């Protein structure tokens, strides 16, 4: 457990947060934590392994509202581009396309094992209750609705010899 806490502290130090007109502590990057867990049944000796991927996506940003400029503008463009790439992956998975564009961004490439194959996923979306943010709220709900349509495969045994 100490290893996990140490890694999380390192990640927190490296995480970019800055003020914009819309949010005083806006995430300027996505956060991704992958935990590989291995267990062993003491009686049978059967071992299992699995990966838990936790992701905190930075929200898309309307530059006209956030008034981002300089470095904040560059960050907003990168965030929006990676979220767009994730949306393209969602669309390809929903429509059963032969090619899934996982390599269009680092985010989608890192999430490939969680979005395809025998993975299971759970998504929480956070929205603003402020009426001034209705367009962002609707966009977030549409994103969540799109993600909900993805049919993931059946989970398989994670037993190893």
């Amino acid at each position: 457990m100490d290893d996990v806490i140490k890694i999380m502290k390192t990640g927190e130090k490296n995480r970019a947060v800055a003020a914009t007109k819309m949010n005083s502590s806006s995430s300027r990057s996505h956060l991704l934590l992958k935990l590989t867990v291995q267990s062993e049944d003491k009686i049978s000796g059967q071992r299992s392994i699995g990966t838990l991927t936790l992701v905190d996506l930075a929200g898309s940003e309307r530059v006209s509202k956030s008034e981002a400029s300089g470095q904040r503008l560059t960050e907003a463009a990168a965030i929006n581009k990676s979220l767009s790439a994730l949306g393209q992956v969602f669309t390809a998975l929903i429509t059963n396309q032969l090619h899934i564009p996982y390599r269009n961004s680092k985010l989608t490439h890192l999430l490939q094992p969680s979005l395809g194959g025998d993975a299971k996923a759970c998504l929480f979306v956070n929205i603003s209750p402020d009426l001034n943010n209705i367009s962002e709220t609707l966009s977030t709900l549409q994103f969540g609705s799109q993600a909900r349509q993805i049919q993931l495969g059946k989970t398989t045994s994670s037993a190893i010899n």
Side-chain angles (χ1 to χ4, degrees):
M1 190 66 174
D2 290 337
D3 291 345
V4 173
I5 292 170
K6 183 179 175 184
I7 290 169
M8 289 182 73
K9 285 181 179 179
T10 300
E12 185 65 29
K13 279 191 254 179
N14 291 319
R15 187 149 195 217
V17 178
T20 67
K21 186 170 182 187
M22 288 186 68
N23 186 344
S24 62
S25 60
S26 177
S27 296
R28 308 315 300 159
S29 61
H30 305 301
L31 176 76
L32 189 129
L33 174 65
K34 281 189 165 196
L35 298 172
T36 301
V37 180
Q38 189 169 335
S39 66
E40 182 177 352
D41 184 317
K42 297 292 184 188
I43 297 170
S44 68
Q46 183 70 41
R47 295 185 326 170
S48 296
I49 190 167
T51 301
L52 174 65
T53 304
L54 303 172
V55 182
D56 181 9
L57 297 173
S60 66
E61 197 168 290
R62 298 191 197 287
V63 176
S64 61
K65 282 181 113 175
S66 68
E67 296 183 3
S69 62
Q71 181 64 28
R72 302 289 92 71
L73 182 60
T74 303
E75 293 161 349
I79 290 166
N80 291 344
K81 183 177 179 183
S82 63
L83 291 173
S84 178
L86 185 56
Q88 291 167 356
V89 167
F90 286 175
T91 298
L93 289 168
I94 292 165
T95 58
N96 294 314
Q97 293 179 13
L98 292 176
H99 173 70
I100 311 297
Y102 290 116
R103 293 186 180 258
N104 285 3
S105 81
K106 285 182 184 178
L107 175 67
T108 54
H109 187 67
L110 289 169
L111 290 178
Q112 182 175 355
S114 301
L115 295 173
D118 60 357
K120 290 296 172 193
C122 181
L123 174 71
F124 296 92
V125 294
N126 295 309
I127 57 173
S128 171
D130 190 337
L131 283 177
N132 292 326
N133 297 327
I134 191 71
S135 64
E136 289 81 4
T137 295
L138 290 174
S139 176
T140 299
L141 291 172
Q142 288 170 341
F143 182 85
S145 179
Q146 185 182 23
R148 188 169 187 250
Q149 295 175 47
I150 298 170
Q151 298 293 317
L152 297 175
K154 276 189 149 186
T155 54
T156 58
S157 173
S158 60
I160 54 176
N161 293 324

